[in-house]
Amino acid sequence: MNTTTLELMPIKRSYIPFEEIPSTARPFIEANTLQSSLQEIKAEHIIPVFKDNEPVISHSDFIETVMSVANDVFPLQHILSPNIRLSHPIQGRIPSAKNKLSRDLLDHEKTLHYERMAFVIEIPSVTETIGGNQISLTIGGVKAYNLDNLSLKKGTGEVFKVFIGFQNKVCTNMCVWSDGCKADLKARSIEELRNAIYSLFNSYNIDHHIKSLKTLTNCNISEQQFVQLIGRCKLYQYLPPNLKANIPFLAFGDTQVSTICRDYYRDKSFCRNDDGSINLWKVYNLFTEANKSSYIDTFLDRSVNAFQFIEGIKNAVKHNQANWFLQ
């Protein structure tokens, strides 16, 4: 997607002056994470190294690269600063403090970095309304050092996850699909990383994604169908491999499915109708809301899977296609 294409698309957009605030003041992921800032990461967190003591592409390098590409691809849009979540802290100490008790360590004697990081950058000048909910264009990424083999010498591609999609402003749920996501991007340098991000952003079809999301509002399932769907989601986790092989993949576990059950009755924005029926836009948001309990390293994969899964349910309902989860 280039800038000219974005400007000419026949989608109603809102261009409103925003303060320079971080994207999504509310957490977009909650499980086992804490809030941070780009300034804090750059100033206070050490950078892991490979076996030959060459540094990895740091969390801050990754975030700044995505920000740089975003400014190039969307020069006429208002782009907010990143909202960053961290998990799995790895603490250490400087050599001169090796014999101190932990309670006696001074601040300058402690070292810290986080193994896993996720961030989102909102572009609130590009918006749409679906099912009464405003969504805004959002980009971001995930970095987990545990996916890199740091025992090797530098030169092996480091693993990154990058996405472009939308965020539901009602609930900060992420709307991401496979065409807007690279979940196994490998780069040996910042330049390689930058080029891959450019490729993803420029190939993203914003119109097609929005139209696909809108179709979910026009497809309803009954309470009986929802119960059938949830029951099959529970069973899926325990199926033998030979049966799973012929069934659409579901990345959500028991914890997330239980949250979906609860919110079917209790969520103020996406709960069932009085007769128990519910449209698939709401069901999709029940899944993406439940995804907030995922760890950082599985969050993006489940975000993509949520859309793929609900698309399969939609096709089964609208086109009378076979789907194990509704049988």
Side-chain angles (χ1 to χ4, degrees), residues 41-42 44-50 53-61 111-114 145 150 154 158:
I41 292 173
K42 293 177 70 172
E44 300 180 17
H45 297 179
I46 65 170
I47 300 174
V49 297
F50 287 97
N53 209 30
E54 289 293 326
V56 301
I57 298 174
S58 68
H59 290 332
S60 59
D61 287 338
T111 65
L112 173 69
H113 75 275
Y114 287 81
Y145 290 135
L150 301 184
K154 188 177 180 68
E158 300 172 47

Side-chain angles (χ1 to χ4, degrees), residues 36-326:
S36 187
S37 68
L38 183 58
Q39 293 73 24
E40 178 184 342
I41 292 173
K42 293 177 70 172
E44 300 180 17
H45 297 179
I46 65 170
I47 300 174
V49 297
F50 287 97
K51 180 180 180 180
D52 54 2
N53 209 30
E54 289 293 326
V56 301
I57 298 174
S58 68
H59 290 332
S60 59
D61 287 338
F62 179 28
I63 296 169
E64 289 182 327
T65 299
V66 173
M67 292 172 65
S68 173
V69 174
N71 281 313
D72 287 347
V73 176
F74 308 108
L76 302 180
Q77 306 302 328
H78 184 69
I79 302 175
L80 300 185
S81 57
N83 186 344
I84 304 168
R85 308 292 297 185
L86 302 171
S87 74
H88 295 74
I90 298 177
Q91 301 183 45
R93 58 176 70 194
I94 62 176
S96 61
K98 67 178 181 179
N99 295 320
K100 279 191 173 184
L101 297 176
S102 59
R103 66 173 179 268
D104 296 330
L105 287 172
L106 302 176
D107 286 343
H108 77 275
E109 296 172 327
K110 302 174 184 178
T111 65
L112 173 69
H113 75 275
Y114 287 81
E115 183 181 71
R116 304 174 195 183
M117 179 275 300
F119 69 98
V120 297
I121 298 172
E122 186 184 344
I123 306 177
S125 53
V126 182
T127 66
E128 186 57 87
T129 300
I130 299 178
N133 308 142
Q134 186 182 66
I135 62 173
S136 61
L137 188 64
T138 303
I139 59 179
V142 172
K143 177 60 185 172
Y145 290 135
N146 61 301
L147 300 179
D148 298 322
N149 192 343
L150 301 184
S151 64
L152 298 177
K153 292 185 178 181
K154 188 177 180 68
T156 303
E158 300 172 47
V159 181
F160 301 86
K161 301 182 181 185
V162 185
F163 71 87
I164 177 170
F166 284 88
Q167 183 177 72
N168 192 329
K169 298 300 292 177
V170 171
C171 50
T172 67
N173 292 354
M174 298 306 306
C175 303
V176 183
W177 69 342
S178 57
D179 288 355
C181 175
K182 284 187 179 291
D184 57 353
L185 193 164
K186 291 187 177 181
R188 292 170 294 179
S189 66
I190 291 178
E191 190 59 31
E192 282 190 9
L193 179 61
R194 184 189 308 276
N195 290 337
I197 298 169
Y198 265 114
S199 176
L200 175 65
F201 288 2
N202 280 312
S203 64
Y204 174 64
N205 190 327
I206 185 173
D207 256 353
H208 188 38
H209 193 187
I210 287 176
K211 289 175 182 177
S212 297
L213 291 173
K214 282 187 172 182
T215 61
L216 299 179
T217 64
N218 300 320
C219 187
N220 292 272
I221 58 175
S222 66
E223 182 176 31
Q224 182 178 356
Q225 287 175 307
F226 182 81
V227 171
Q228 176 74 24
L229 173 67
I230 291 299
R232 291 278 184 163
C233 288
K234 288 279 189 178
L235 287 174
Y236 177 84
Q237 309 303 324
Y238 305 100
L239 290 176
N242 63 313
L243 293 180
K244 271 189 179 182
N246 299 315
I247 296 173
F249 176 65
L250 177 65
F252 288 71
D254 281 345
T255 299
Q256 289 78 35
V257 175
S258 295
T259 299
I260 293 167
C261 294
R262 181 199 67 194
D263 291 346
Y264 170 72
Y265 290 101
R266 299 183 184 179
D267 191 282
K268 293 181 180 179
S269 301
F270 306 112
C271 66
R272 66 178 198 152
N273 299 320
D274 291 339
D275 63 357
S277 65
I278 186 170
N279 70 45
L280 291 186
W281 169 249
K282 290 184 176 181
V283 177
Y284 174 52
N285 276 278
L286 293 182
F287 272 76
T288 53
E289 178 67 24
N291 188 36
K292 290 180 181 177
S293 67
S294 300
Y295 284 159
I296 281 178
D297 53 340
T298 59
F299 173 74
L300 189 54
D301 303 274
R302 280 182 173 155
S303 294
V304 173
N305 180 248
F307 182 81
Q308 294 171 329
F309 181 78
I310 297 301
E311 272 284 287
I313 299 300
K314 181 193 74 175
N315 291 332
V317 173
K318 296 192 72 171
H319 306 297
N320 198 28
Q321 296 179 358
N323 188 295
W324 181 83
F325 289 93
L326 288 180

